[in-house]
Amino acid sequence: MHPSSTEILRPDPDGLARAVALLGRGDLVAFPTETVYGLGADARAGAAVAGIFAAKNRPGFNPLIVHVPDRRTARRYVVWNDTAERLAAAFWPGPLSLVLPLKPGHGIASLVSAGLDTLAIRVPAHPLAQQLLRAFDAPLAAPSANPSGRISPTTAAHVLNGLGGRIGAVLDGGACAVGLESTIVGPQGAGAVLLRPGGLAGERIEAVLGFALASRSDRSRPSAPGQMASHYAPKSSLRLNARSARAGEVFLGFAGLGGGLNLSRAGDLNEAAANLFDHLHQLDAQGQAIAVAPIPFTGLGRAINDRLQRAAAPRPERAARQAR
Ligand code: TXA
Ligand code: MG
């Protein structure tokens, strides 16, 4: 795409209507939030979400934050608790994301949470983000609207510099007021974990909670490596670049290889990305080792291979057990 093929939409009813039309057909639209510009896609559409990773050229799949217009809508997608209620009442709309368990029947594409059973969700305060979410009437998955490894954009011009020609449009809402990504908190039981410092100071959160936030390192003890806060890994072992299943294995196919579960019979890497975590979950539930067909290292194939290689690598827990 030529850089000029990315539409610049004005913050008026026509601009919003065009943004909604583009999102509705699976295109990507960057939009302003009070923190940074987000690169939005319909969070229910796996292929659209896969497009986010392709446009950003991300070498791996990180879970994304879902944006909704209000607390009531958030509660459709995640299992709510008292701590979440107190934080949302105090800070939403605003620069705070909450990580909570996904609710059954949530309808969010599995690529959004990178296969985790939790979801990061927030209610942005920027008026244009609010208008877009209400007009689109569906949750938007949105990471910061910059190419992977570059700094987060706080103006529409920054977005165009980084992603011009790679996305459908940018909704121009001027400069972002906060300029730092949202603070991410995981309310758990009686406590809460600070998963990422950001635009809302931890002290303000602690003042509302009346107790200290735990830090992520308190939690990622080596006793639970498969439970790392931000990575889903199958319980079963994985064998890569397999042509077929051996005895005791189930097969995950790609393109012409594999007549059962197949990431994309057409060999389409975006489709494969959209299916990746769903298919791994399905095969993992069968409790057998998983053999995976070769995936090309082009486009989203890099991120797919990155995730498969991490899943195939010996985990500390497994290695320790084997050493005993
Ligand atoms: O301010 C913001 O948060 C911006 C605007 C656009 O809303 N978005 C943003 O998204 O910063 P992104 O993709 O750049 O960062 C998302 C962060 C990642 O660090 C990811 O690991 C974490 O959220 N995250 C998402 N889902 C998670 C989950 N289920 N558990 C733990 N961490 C999660
Ligand atoms: Mg980012």
Side-chain angles (χ1 to χ4, degrees):
M1 259 198 262
H2 186 265
S4 64
S5 66
T6 295
E7 298 173 31
I8 303 169
L9 306 176
R10 295 167 55 86
D12 59 23
D14 285 350
L16 280 166
R18 180 68 185 149
V20 166
L22 290 168
L23 289 167
R25 63 174 210 212
D27 281 353
L28 306 179
V29 175
F31 64 96
T33 80
E34 73 281 21
T35 60
V36 300
Y37 273 72
L39 181 57
D42 184 340
R44 306 162 305 177
V49 175
I52 289 179
F53 293 97
K56 284 180 66 92
N57 210 2
R58 266 204 184 172
F61 296 122
N62 287 344
L64 306 175
I65 297 171
V66 163
H67 299 67
V68 292
D70 52 40
R71 231 187 301 172
R72 192 171 52 84
T73 310
R75 295 177 64 158
R76 280 193 218 152
Y77 302 106
V78 290
V79 180
W80 208 239
N81 63 35
D82 287 349
T83 307
E85 178 61 25
R86 286 164 64 199
L87 291 176
F91 299 116
W92 278 0
L96 173 69
S97 297
L98 297 176
V99 172
L100 291 162
L102 275 159
K103 207 167 176 171
H106 53 78
I108 302 289
S110 64
L111 193 56
V112 171
S113 59
L116 296 171
D117 52 12
T118 55
L119 186 71
I121 196 160
R122 86 178 190 93
V123 174
H126 196 291
L128 206 54
Q130 281 283 331
Q131 287 165 34
L132 179 64
L133 288 166
R134 289 184 194 285
F136 187 52
D137 196 26
L140 288 177
S144 49
N146 51 283
S148 182
R150 301 261 298 272
I151 53 173
S152 296
T154 54
T155 65
H158 295 163
V159 175
L160 286 170
N161 278 340
L163 297 175
R166 303 179 66 88
I167 62 176
V170 55
L171 197 51
D172 189 351
C176 303
V178 177
L180 259 185
E181 281 93 342
S182 63
T183 300
I184 306 180
V185 171
Q188 285 160 357
V193 184
L194 179 64
L195 295 167
R196 177 180 75 180
L200 177 66
E203 290 84 347
R204 290 191 56 201
I205 298 172
E206 291 177 335
V208 164
L209 291 177
F211 56 79
L213 289 165
S215 69
R216 175 175 241 171
S217 58
D218 297 343
R219 282 186 68 249
S220 43
R221 292 180 300 267
S223 61
Q227 306 294 96
M228 289 285 284
S230 56
H231 290 292
Y232 161 74
K235 293 189 282 298
S236 315
S237 68
L238 236 80
R239 185 166 63 87
L240 307 184
N241 298 313
R243 314 296 308 181
S244 61
R246 296 176 184 155
E249 286 181 339
V250 285
F251 193 68
L252 180 56
F254 178 76
L257 278 183
L261 213 50
N262 193 307
L263 287 171
S264 169
R265 275 176 217 287
D268 175 338
L269 289 164
N270 274 40
E271 185 187 4
N275 284 332
L276 179 66
F277 292 105
D278 264 344
H279 286 12
L280 283 176
H281 273 291
Q282 281 186 51
L283 294 173
D284 209 18
Q286 297 181 30
Q288 285 176 286
I290 303 168
V292 190
I295 311 291
F297 277 83
T298 52
L300 285 187
R302 277 194 305 138
I304 295 172
N305 276 299
D306 169 78
R307 179 42 53 104
L308 289 171
Q309 279 161 0
R310 285 169 197 276
R315 272 156 247 161
E317 186 189 47
R318 219 179 263 158
R321 214 189 295 127
Q322 280 160 1
R324 261 182 236 137

